[in-house]
Amino acid sequence: MTRHFLRDDDITPAEQAEILTLAHELKRDRFQAKPLAGPQTVAVIFDKSSTRTRVSFAVGIADLGGVPLIISTANSQLGGKETASDTARVLERQVAAIVWRTYAQSGLEEMAAGTTVPVVNALSDDFHPCQLLADLLTIQEHRGELAGLTITFIGDGRSNMAQSYLLAGATAGAHIRIAAPHEYSPEADVVADAERIAQQTGGSILITTDVTAAATDADVIVTDTWVSMGKEDEKAARVETFGGYRVDDALMARAKSDALFLHCLPADRGYEVTASVIDGPQSIIWDEAENRLHAQKALLVWLLRQAA
């Protein structure tokens, strides 16, 4: 059966654990799995600029024995003359999977509904589920069990990272805290979905404007840029609004003494995080960046197995 990965709760807690276990195995033995031998091709489509997503998917697909076909929507018919569903019907006859880094979540949903090959959300305005697999993998490497950990996201609660942390963290059985200005709280339906999952896994969800309370005794502190792609014209207003949500040494001191710091990058040093934190001993951002490769490879292997 064809499975897609459009948002973090498209997989069950057991399936998430299975994918993460596979990611650890593929990190230890990078070339053990070759499901794309042939080589088969995976279409990797970009509406937005990218460094980590582009590199990790291109390298990962090659590691799995395949060929990455990098497509820019600026040089294709997608988003112009052709619908996402029509593009999907063309691609499915020639590629093994479709990966898309885009804006609207609805476009991914349309593409997935119109194809028989797996579709992967490499980032949308609403969710960043591949990044969350990498983040959870990284936390596991440093802390072991995910269930029961307190993970605090600080900044724009309506960002794709915050909303994915709600869903993926709840799926892992973690206690997720989102500290954000009230007007930037996560979407109510995403919070409701995360709360429903947390009831099943033993996790919990807290949405607050109190950054100090959210950071207190946390196992992991996470932040992301205050100005996401497509929001550049809002920078001045956002910097003013989020000024009290900067992760600095004083805030990290509120967390547990061995708390980890994560950031999906790129970072605006001096804005959402100080250089002393991002370059400090609690920061594991370079492991996090590398783990995009291993987590996404595991995801592709798992999805291709479901479709076999």
Side-chain angles (χ1 to χ4, degrees):
M1 179 182 71
T2 302
R3 295 283 297 275
H4 305 292
F5 191 55
L6 308 185
R7 43 185 277 168
D8 308 80
D9 55 352
D10 281 342
I11 52 177
T12 67
E15 290 168 343
Q16 183 193 74
E18 182 181 350
I19 292 167
L20 291 173
T21 297
L22 180 56
H24 287 289
E25 294 172 1
L26 290 175
K27 188 169 184 177
R28 285 191 295 268
D29 185 0
R30 183 167 160 178
F31 303 106
Q32 66 169 282
K34 297 288 184 180
L36 294 171
Q40 299 179 65
T41 300
V42 175
V44 189
I45 308 169
F46 290 94
D47 292 350
K48 296 185 176 184
S49 59
S50 168
T51 298
R52 279 148 292 277
T53 299
R54 185 182 299 267
V55 172
S56 57
F57 269 112
V59 173
I61 291 162
D63 284 359
L64 296 176
V67 173
L69 174 62
I70 307 297
I71 302 171
S72 168
T73 48
N75 299 313
S76 72
Q77 301 294 349
L78 180 60
K81 294 181 178 180
E82 192 163 60
T83 65
S85 57
D86 284 353
T87 297
R89 293 182 68 181
V90 171
L91 291 176
E92 70 178 359
R93 297 182 177 219
Q94 303 178 61
V95 304
I98 300 168
V99 177
W100 192 8
R101 180 179 174 92
T102 187
Y103 291 91
Q105 184 75 13
S106 59
L108 284 155
E109 293 167 357
E110 180 186 343
M111 181 169 281
T115 185
T116 57
V117 300
V119 175
V120 174
N121 177 1
L123 177 144
S124 71
D125 287 344
D126 292 340
F127 304 104
H128 200 352
C130 288
Q131 181 67 57
L132 259 292
L133 287 177
D135 284 17
L136 295 179
L137 175 64
T138 308
I139 296 168
Q140 274 189 334
E141 287 180 330
H142 289 264
R143 288 292 179 270
E145 183 68 33
L146 294 169
L149 292 178
T150 297
I151 302 174
T152 295
F153 180 93
I154 296 170
D156 184 352
R158 200 162 291 176
S159 69
N160 47 27
M161 282 297 294
Q163 297 199 145
S164 273
Y165 257 102
L166 285 170
L167 297 179
T171 300
H175 303 293
I176 304 301
R177 302 173 180 172
I178 305 293
H182 179 73
E183 62 269 35
Y184 289 96
S185 294
E187 296 291 347
D189 61 333
V190 176
V191 175
D193 288 339
E195 289 175 337
R196 174 182 50 78
I197 297 168
Q199 289 177 355
Q200 301 168 0
T201 62
S204 66
I205 303 299
L206 173 67
I207 311 298
T208 181
T209 60
D210 189 336
V211 65
T212 301
T216 299
D217 293 329
D219 295 286
V220 183
I221 300 290
V222 188
T223 192
D224 189 16
T225 180
W226 294 338
V227 187
S228 298
M229 283 178 284
K231 307 290 186 183
E232 290 82 3
D233 60 339
E234 302 176 15
K235 182 171 183 178
R238 282 173 169 263
V239 168
E240 182 176 356
T241 299
F242 289 107
Y245 292 81
R246 179 176 293 109
V247 180
D248 56 18
D249 292 308
L251 191 63
M252 288 297 297
R254 293 280 184 175
K256 291 181 179 177
S257 59
D258 61 349
L260 306 172
F261 173 76
L262 284 84
H263 190 306
C264 66
L265 302 176
D268 291 325
R269 292 163 179 262
Y271 286 88
E272 72 271 11
V273 61
T274 60
S276 59
V277 170
I278 200 169
D279 295 326
Q282 292 169 281
S283 174
I284 53 173
I285 60 170
W286 307 119
D287 292 343
E288 179 186 10
E290 177 193 342
N291 282 339
R292 288 289 300 277
L293 171 67
H294 310 299
Q296 288 163 186
K297 285 172 63 179
L299 174 66
L300 286 172
V301 170
W302 188 85
L303 288 171
L304 291 167
R305 286 176 180 172
Q306 309 310 303

